[in-house]
Amino acid sequence: MSTSALSTAAVWSRRLAVGTVLVTGGHLIGVPALPSSVTLAIVGLGLIAGIPHGAVDHLTATRLARGRSLTVIAACYAAVAAVVWVLLRWAGPAALVAVVVLSAVHFGLGELEVSRRLTGWRPGRLTAAATVVAGCGALALPLARSGEQFSAVAAAVSPGLARLLGAAPLQIGVIVVWLGCAVVASVAAVREGHTVVALDIVLIGALGLVAPPLVAFAVWFGGWHAVRHSARLLSVEPGCAALLARGRRRAAVHRLAGLAALPSLAVLMAVGALAGVTLAAPDPTAAVAEALRVLLALTVPHMVVVFWLDHDCDAEPGVGQAAAAARSTSSNCSPRRSSS
């Protein structure tokens, strides 16, 4: 049932990616590009939509810690995010580059984990590494393409980063590396009979190369990465897993949404407050930059929790589908298919 929920999420994320490419790709054939106000509105909605997928991290980490206080876990999570935000705000472009690279790794590992759960395929190290790089295309390719609005936001976050992203050798290098890894991962997936993995890589590439850079990342973040991760959480959170086991998928979704509601609201309020305090003028570009800075700061503790969760799942012995399904209702892991 948990795999079914993830499959449904994957289908809808693909539809959203295709729709975004069709709506925003008209500039390739001479259709006027979307107005900047519409573009920034889409970006804002995408970033907001992505916030809830990390809003139950404190609950997940508390279960993984096995006995640690929820208050302590939540305080540590918030402290890490606050420290990262301070570094992003005042430590210059080096901290920002480090966090962006870590975010790209996190996004790529997320795609690899989803492909494993959807297909049961466990590729070798080289193919897995190529899949991770290909999976972060919706961040890497928009960064490489830059663009006027993306550059403006990057300059608002860090002028040094904006200059770095504008360097042609870096842009060409990122695209070439991504294309090479995408080809390796896609060919390997097709050879093993997992065409859906290759399809996802193609859609990620199309979104990252065709849609306006900011739109590409925001839509992927809120409508692809967040949706798929939230579907995974349905089998991680014990109450949701129990509801899924009884076939009550809608109730499981409602429960997860309820658990994520207050933390998500807190993050949104923080973004609004920081934007109001730090912006000298009501500048939409600067507001998007501030939201990105907050989201990047939250990505670091979120990434730690997700890595911890995946490691905890991998550490369990492979015992067969029925036993794994039974275990998923009381542990942090969902069942996986055997490798093909």
Side-chain angles (χ1 to χ4, degrees):
M1 182 64 70
S2 59
T3 302
S4 175
L6 183 57
S7 298
T8 301
V11 168
W12 281 104
S13 64
R14 292 180 194 122
R15 290 175 178 174
L16 181 61
V18 171
T20 302
V21 169
L22 292 177
V23 170
T24 63
H27 65 91
L28 297 176
I29 57 175
V31 177
L34 296 175
S36 60
S37 57
V38 174
T39 298
L40 290 174
I42 295 173
V43 171
L45 289 174
L47 297 179
I48 290 172
I51 289 174
H53 86 280
V56 297
D57 281 349
H58 60 298
L59 301 177
T60 302
T62 301
R63 285 192 297 276
L64 290 170
R66 294 177 175 84
R68 299 291 182 182
S69 166
L70 172 61
T71 302
V72 172
I73 294 294
C76 291
Y77 191 98
V80 171
V83 169
V84 174
W85 181 81
V86 169
L87 291 175
L88 292 175
R89 199 76 172 80
W90 286 289
L96 186 56
V97 170
V99 174
V100 169
V101 170
L102 288 174
S103 298
V105 173
H106 166 67
F107 293 146
L109 288 173
E111 289 302 306
L112 178 63
E113 187 65 22
V114 168
S115 70
R116 286 174 174 175
R117 292 175 181 272
L118 288 177
T119 67
W121 182 41
R122 287 177 172 271
R125 290 184 178 180
L126 177 61
T127 303
T131 304
V132 169
V133 175
C136 70
L139 173 60
L141 295 176
L143 283 173
R145 292 172 57 207
S146 192
E148 182 178 345
Q149 285 184 324
F150 206 112
S151 297
V153 172
V157 175
S158 169
L161 178 65
R163 290 191 295 270
L164 178 65
L165 294 178
L170 176 66
Q171 295 175 335
I172 295 172
V174 168
I175 293 176
V176 169
V177 169
W178 184 87
L179 285 173
C181 291
V183 170
V184 170
S186 299
V187 170
V190 171
R191 284 180 175 176
E192 293 294 329
H194 304 301
T195 54
V196 69
V197 177
L199 173 62
D200 281 352
I201 292 173
V202 170
L203 289 178
I204 289 172
L207 186 64
L209 289 171
V210 174
L214 272 178
V215 172
F217 172 72
V219 169
W220 179 85
F221 176 72
W224 182 295
H225 175 74
V227 169
R228 293 179 176 211
H229 182 77
S230 296
R232 282 188 59 198
L233 289 177
L234 293 176
S235 64
V236 171
E237 202 285 317
C240 294
L243 290 170
L244 282 181
R246 296 198 298 269
R248 300 179 60 190
R249 186 191 300 181
R250 182 172 297 181
V253 173
H254 289 168
R255 174 180 170 80
L256 185 63
L259 292 173
L262 285 179
S264 299
L265 180 61
V267 173
L268 289 173
M269 291 177 64
V271 171
L274 288 171
V277 170
T278 59
L279 300 182
D283 181 0
T285 298
V288 171
E290 193 60 54
L292 280 173
R293 189 180 286 116
V294 172
L295 290 175
L296 285 172
L298 289 170
T299 294
V300 174
H302 170 67
M303 178 173 54
V304 173
V305 172
V306 174
F307 181 80
W308 189 4
L309 172 63
D310 290 343
H311 177 75
D312 191 73
C313 290
D314 284 335
E316 292 195 1
V319 293
Q321 187 75 5
R327 187 176 66 243
S328 71
T329 63
S330 59
S331 74
N332 299 307
C333 305
S334 63
R336 294 183 180 179
R337 302 175 186 174
S338 60
S339 177
S340 57

